[in-house]
Amino acid sequence: MTPYELRFNIFQEAEALADRQYQSEYAAVAMWNENNSEKREYPKFPTFEYIKQLAENINNFVSSSSK
Protein backbone atom coordinates (compact mmCIF):
# COMPACT_ATOMS: atom_id res chain seq x y z
CA MET A 1 0.00 0.00 0.00
CA THR A 2 1.36 3.39 -0.96
CA PRO A 3 1.51 6.37 1.44
CA TYR A 4 -1.30 7.98 -0.58
CA GLU A 5 -3.52 4.94 -0.10
CA LEU A 6 -2.75 4.88 3.60
CA ARG A 7 -3.65 8.55 3.99
CA PHE A 8 -6.84 8.02 2.04
CA ASN A 9 -7.75 5.07 4.27
CA ILE A 10 -7.18 7.24 7.33
CA PHE A 11 -9.39 9.92 5.78
CA GLN A 12 -12.10 7.33 5.11
CA GLU A 13 -11.94 6.16 8.73
CA ALA A 14 -12.25 9.75 9.93
CA GLU A 15 -15.23 10.27 7.63
CA ALA A 16 -16.89 7.11 8.99
CA LEU A 17 -16.23 8.22 12.57
CA ALA A 18 -17.71 11.67 11.91
CA ASP A 19 -20.74 10.10 10.23
CA ARG A 20 -21.36 7.71 13.13
CA GLN A 21 -21.09 10.60 15.58
CA TYR A 22 -23.52 12.69 13.49
CA GLN A 23 -26.02 9.81 13.16
CA SER A 24 -25.91 9.19 16.90
CA GLU A 25 -26.46 12.86 17.76
CA TYR A 26 -29.21 13.15 15.13
CA ALA A 27 -31.05 10.12 16.53
CA ALA A 28 -30.83 11.47 20.07
CA VAL A 29 -32.24 14.86 19.02
CA ALA A 30 -34.98 13.21 16.92
CA MET A 31 -36.06 11.10 19.89
CA TRP A 32 -35.98 14.14 22.18
CA ASN A 33 -38.02 16.25 19.75
CA GLU A 34 -40.55 13.46 19.30
CA ASN A 35 -41.15 13.10 23.05
CA ASN A 36 -40.83 16.67 24.33
CA SER A 37 -42.49 19.98 23.63
CA GLU A 38 -39.17 21.83 23.94
CA LYS A 39 -37.43 21.22 20.62
CA ARG A 40 -33.67 20.97 20.16
CA GLU A 41 -31.67 21.84 17.06
CA TYR A 42 -30.43 19.01 14.91
CA PRO A 43 -26.65 18.68 14.63
CA LYS A 44 -24.85 20.06 11.62
CA PHE A 45 -23.52 17.58 9.09
CA PRO A 46 -19.73 17.14 9.43
CA THR A 47 -17.78 19.47 7.17
CA PHE A 48 -14.72 18.56 5.14
CA GLU A 49 -12.61 20.65 7.51
CA TYR A 50 -13.89 18.70 10.54
CA ILE A 51 -13.23 15.36 8.84
CA LYS A 52 -9.77 16.53 7.78
CA GLN A 53 -8.97 17.52 11.38
CA LEU A 54 -10.12 14.10 12.61
CA ALA A 55 -7.91 12.43 9.99
CA GLU A 56 -4.95 14.52 11.10
CA ASN A 57 -5.59 13.56 14.73
CA ILE A 58 -5.79 9.87 13.79
CA ASN A 59 -2.63 10.14 11.69
CA ASN A 60 -0.76 11.89 14.51
CA PHE A 61 -1.85 9.20 16.96
CA VAL A 62 -0.85 6.36 14.63
CA SER A 63 2.40 8.00 13.61
CA SER A 64 3.57 8.87 17.11
CA SER A 65 5.99 6.35 18.52
CA SER A 66 5.42 5.12 22.04
CA LYS A 67 8.74 5.10 23.83
Side-chain angles (χ1 to χ4, degrees), residues 11-63:
F11 181 82
Q12 288 176 315
E13 287 300 318
E15 183 179 29
L17 176 64
D19 186 57
R20 285 191 304 270
Q21 181 180 7
Y22 169 78
Q23 294 297 331
S24 175
E25 291 173 6
Y26 186 94
V29 170
M31 190 179 343
W32 173 270
N33 287 346
E34 188 175 300
N35 297 317
N36 294 284
S37 60
E38 177 189 337
K39 303 301 181 195
R40 293 185 178 172
E41 271 191 48
Y42 284 96
K44 294 185 183 192
F45 197 75
T47 62
F48 173 79
E49 289 76 22
Y50 178 72
I51 295 169
K52 182 180 170 196
Q53 183 60 50
L54 276 178
E56 289 172 359
N57 291 346
I58 293 169
N59 186 47
N60 290 339
F61 175 77
V62 171
S63 298

